[in-house]
């Protein structure tokens, strides 16, 4: 839906690339630069990596985030322009996303809690394939998966690592999670599952001492894990702003049809 307000107090964040830094200089000269705590909106200048970092750092602030592409990959970004930024922000549409919560227990019993916007991945640490047991809402659904690993992706992350692993592209507003194997050896023909976003996915590591496994929530890693629980954290809502006609919904549809 259209954004309900005008955004006059803008906080800019930028990546380290020359393009992003030049854009930062141009925009600050034109619009100023507020402290994020005092801003109406955050504008991220860079690529998808910077957008994910900005979302992670501000996920509990409730502030909308608008990205402009000044990096390498720009799937989550709008086109860059220094002109009429406040009008673009006022006309932008909201996309609300929820992160995943990873709760990983390692061999020492330590618990690692991290949030992920794209995906939680569980994968082998050595040359040997991982042996994993998968439960959904504490009910066993796969007694043994032998693979490089497995991942749980959000709709926002379904076009990232999940897509590279041959997982499905999910509409951004779909109340679904993608459970996708990474290079499965057994069962060979299992291509994953679509789960309701209310599901709790539990991945237990079999033969963990012989076949050590790591768990990663976007960029936060826990090594030598024994059990990983993944769920959608509906207590956190993040607002992303997109130009009309270039929403995340539209971009995902284009990906589904291959253009």
């Amino acid at each position: 839906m259209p954004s309900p307000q005008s955004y006059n107090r803008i906080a800019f964040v930028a990546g380290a690339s020359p393009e992003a830094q030049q854009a930062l200089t141009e925009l600050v000269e034109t619009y100023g630069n507020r402290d994020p705590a005092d801003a109406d909106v955050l504008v991220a200048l860079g690529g998808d990596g910077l957008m994910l970092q900005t979302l992670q750092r501000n996920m509990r602030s409730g502030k909308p985030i608008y990205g402009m592409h000044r990096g390498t990959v720009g799937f989550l970004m709008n086109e860059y322009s220094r002109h009429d930024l406040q009008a673009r922000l006022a006309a932008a549409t909201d996309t609300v996303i929820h992160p995943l919560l990873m709760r990983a227990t390692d061999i020492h019993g330590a618990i690692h809690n991290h949030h992920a916007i794209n995906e939680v991945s569980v994968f082998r640490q050595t040359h040997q394939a991982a042996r994993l047991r998968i439960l959904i809402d504490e009910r066993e659904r796969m007694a043994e998966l032998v693979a490089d690993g497995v991942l749980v992706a959000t709709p926002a992350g379904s076009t990232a690592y999940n897509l590279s692993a041959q997982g499905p592209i999910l509409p951004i507003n779909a109340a679904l999670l993608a459970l996708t194997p990474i290079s499965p050896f057994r069962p060979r023909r299992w291509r994953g599952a679509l789960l309701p976003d209310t599901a709790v996915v539990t991945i237990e590591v079999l033969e963990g001492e012989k076949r050590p496994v790591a768990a990663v929530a976007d960029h936060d890693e826990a090594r030598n894990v024994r059990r990983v629980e993944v769920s959608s954290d509906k207590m956190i809502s993040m607002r992303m702003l997109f130009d009309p006609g270039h929403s995340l919904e539209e971009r995902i549809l284009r990906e589904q049809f291959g253009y």
Side-chain angles (χ1 to χ4, degrees), residues 13 15 17 20 44-56 65-79 97 117-118 156-161 218-219 240 242 248 251 255:
V13 294
S17 71
L45 307 169
D48 285 354
L50 178 74
M51 174 58 84
L52 292 175
Q53 290 177 12
T54 306
L55 288 166
Q56 283 273 5
I65 300 174
Y66 179 88
M68 286 199 285
H69 187 206
R70 293 283 87 184
T72 304
V73 179
F75 187 82
L76 300 176
M77 315 301 276
N78 299 284
E79 292 183 5
I97 62 174
I117 295 161
N118 273 355
S158 67
T159 57
Y161 189 12
D218 283 350
H219 58 268
M240 300 175 67
F242 292 94
L248 195 53
R251 294 172 192 212
E255 285 286 337

Side-chain angles (χ1 to χ4, degrees), residues 164-179:
S164 298
Q166 308 301 312
I169 297 173
L170 304 179
I172 190 62
N173 291 320
L176 295 171
L177 300 174
L179 178 64

